[in-house]
């Protein structure tokens, strides 16, 4: 039991179960038994994401992806929906969430037992493998081949060969990022994604960012995991405001950078981020690329202007175990050069940085949050305020934060 009278394992939020996607769709896609020569009906579904990408979708239309299916392709919608008629991508049928993967499987050669032990497997890899995953968990990079001695460890020689530790053939268990995004909605608005898994990308699981804006995007009960950078990234260009999105009851886990990030050189407003589970993100740190230097479980920022955030609410999220103790100082929830954001009724714990970090903010409210076991590096705290221009704090429970 912590000093505040709570056991960390007893703090929880109710997060809705994933939706079943049982409604009717305009088109259906089945990776196992579909064919792109089919008409795309539920009885004769398409097979590939490429077929979806090449189809002109109208506002109000929808695409159903068969539950349990896996597509090692990038979903790239070409059209926007409308305010009251979004274009929807969702699961249908029963089973695990459909996976849109940015990663590929490969064939491997086993060590002979002489020069290489039989627990070392290797494959040709001429480009950076970024973020290999092992059975749904992030791999552990090693600086030399001789250091690869235990499960989930890997080493790339920087030229042509990737080595992994495995007691059996990793052909179906080790995934190598190959595409920048699992889903790219670049410059599109009024799209809805429900009960899908976006995983294994070489950059972000979902990305939208352009001079056209990304408005009215909705994510319901999705999973964003094992992406080299952010699980979800909404980026605005200078002079652009991304407005009115919803991210709810989704899971963000095992991403190298932030679980989810909204911001950029432009602005954003009126987003709802509610009821999500965000954990074990911010697992990679680098000062040489902006993708991994500034990260948080939830990271909201408008570095250039301090206009972003107006009307945005971050509520009822469970945020924990983001960042690496002693290595990265990643806050659970970080608002950076923003204004008018409400952060309320979240549970935040076990983050290497501050639980909630308000940096150079204006007129923001932190209310009725529970924050504990955070602030594990210098200059961090349960709730930290830096150079703020105005904020209010009401009814928060803050305890066992060590700095």
């Amino acid at each position: 039991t912590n000093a505040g009278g709570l056991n960390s394992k007893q703090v929880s939020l109710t997060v809705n179960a994933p939706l079943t996607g049982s409604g009717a769709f305009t088109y259906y896609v089945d990776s196992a038994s579909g064919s792109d020569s089919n008409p795309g009906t539920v009885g004769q579904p398409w097979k590939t994401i490429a077929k979806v990408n090449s189809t002109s979708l109208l506002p109000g239309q929808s695409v159903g992806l068969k539950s349990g299916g896996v597509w090692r392709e990038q979903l790239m919608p070409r059209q926007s929906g409308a305010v009251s008629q979004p274009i929807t991508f969702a699961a249908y049928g029963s089973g695990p969430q459909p996976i849109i993967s940015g990663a590929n499987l490969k064939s491997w050669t086993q060590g002979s037992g002489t020069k290489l032990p039989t627990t070392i497997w290797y494959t040709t890899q001429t480009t950076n493998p970024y973020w290999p995953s092992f059975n749904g968990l992030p791999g552990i990079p090693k600086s030399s081949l001789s250091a690869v001695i235990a499960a989930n460890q890997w080493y790339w020689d920087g030229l042509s060969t990737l080595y992994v530790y495995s007691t059996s053939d990793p052909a179906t268990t080790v995934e190598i990022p190959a595409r920048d995004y699992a889903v790219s909605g670049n410059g599109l608005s009024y799209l809805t994604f429900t009960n899908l898994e976006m995983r294994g990308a070489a950059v972000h699981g979902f990305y939208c960012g352009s001079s056209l804006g990304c408005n009215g995007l909705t994510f319901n009960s999705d999973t964003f995991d094992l992406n080299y950078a952010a699980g979800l990234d909404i980026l605005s260009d200078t002079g652009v405001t991304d407005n009115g999105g919803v991210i709810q009851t989704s899971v963000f886990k095992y991403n190298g950078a932030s679980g989810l990030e909204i911001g950029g050189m432009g602005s954003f407003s009126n987003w709802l981020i509610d009821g999500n589970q965000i954990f074990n993100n911010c697992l990679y740190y680098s000062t040489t690329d902006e993708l991994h230097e500034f990260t948080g479980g939830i990271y909201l920022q408008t570095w250039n202007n301090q206009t972003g955030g107006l009307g945005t609410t971050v509520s009822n999220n469970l945020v924990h175990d983001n960042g690496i103790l002693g290595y990265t100082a990643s806050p659970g929830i970080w608002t950076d050069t923003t204004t008018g954001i409400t952060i309320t009724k979240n549970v935040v714990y076990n983050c290497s940085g501050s639980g909630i970090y308000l940096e150079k903010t204006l007129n923001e409210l932190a209310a009725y949050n529970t924050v504990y076991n955070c602030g594990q590096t210098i200059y961090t705290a349960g709730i930290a305020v830096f150079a703020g221009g105005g904020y209010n704090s009401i009814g928060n429970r803050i305890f066992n934060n060590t700095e």
Side-chain angles (χ1 to χ4, degrees), residues 19-211:
L19 304 177
T20 61
S22 57
F25 295 92
T26 310
Y27 301 107
Y28 294 79
V29 192
D30 184 338
S31 65
S33 60
S35 170
D36 287 350
S37 62
N38 285 341
T41 61
V42 65
Q44 294 180 289
W46 294 335
K47 183 178 183 65
T48 69
I49 293 292
K51 179 66 174 178
V52 178
N53 292 340
S54 66
T55 301
S56 295
L57 299 172
L58 300 175
Q61 291 190 321
S62 58
V63 176
L65 302 178
K66 182 70 176 294
S67 294
V70 179
W71 289 265
R72 299 189 185 279
E73 307 174 67
Q74 182 173 299
L75 175 60
M76 298 181 290
R78 302 300 185 185
Q79 300 81 27
S80 292
V83 173
S84 58
Q85 293 182 298
I87 294 173
T88 298
F89 303 86
Y92 76 93
S94 60
Q97 288 181 325
I99 296 173
I100 305 173
S101 177
N104 288 340
L105 299 172
K106 303 194 74 170
S107 59
W108 298 82
T109 301
Q110 186 177 21
S112 64
T114 53
K115 291 184 177 181
L116 290 175
T118 57
T119 52
I120 296 295
W121 296 73
Y122 59 95
T123 189
T124 300
Q125 183 72 32
T126 58
T127 59
N128 192 333
Y130 293 110
W131 198 244
S133 64
F134 294 67
N135 279 315
L137 293 173
I140 303 168
K142 291 297 179 178
S143 58
S144 67
L145 177 57
S146 61
V148 179
I149 58 174
N152 299 357
Q153 294 179 348
W154 62 273
Y155 168 72
W156 181 50
D157 66 4
L159 294 173
S160 61
T161 307
L162 174 67
Y163 302 87
V164 300
Y165 180 99
S166 182
T167 56
S168 60
D169 189 347
T172 61
T173 58
V174 174
E175 299 182 75
I176 312 299
R179 289 165 289 282
D180 284 350
Y181 317 113
V183 180
S184 173
N186 216 17
L188 300 180
S189 295
Y190 305 109
L191 304 178
T192 295
F193 302 88
T194 298
N195 200 20
L196 305 177
E197 183 174 355
M198 307 175 206
R199 69 183 288 175
V203 187
H204 308 302
F206 177 91
Y207 176 74
C208 185
S210 80
S211 59

Side-chain angles (χ1 to χ4, degrees), residues 306 338 357-364 384-391:
Q306 201 162 30
T338 54
Y357 184 26
L358 310 178
E359 180 179 8
K360 295 178 285 187
T361 60
L362 291 173
N363 304 320
E364 301 204 336
V385 179
F386 175 75
Y391 76 98

Side-chain angles (χ1 to χ4, degrees), residues 322-345:
N322 294 289
I324 302 172
L325 179 61
Y327 186 51
T328 62
S330 299
I333 300 172
W334 184 3
T335 59
D336 182 358
T337 323
T338 54
T339 185
I341 296 176
T342 296
I343 304 169
T344 184
K345 298 180 181 178

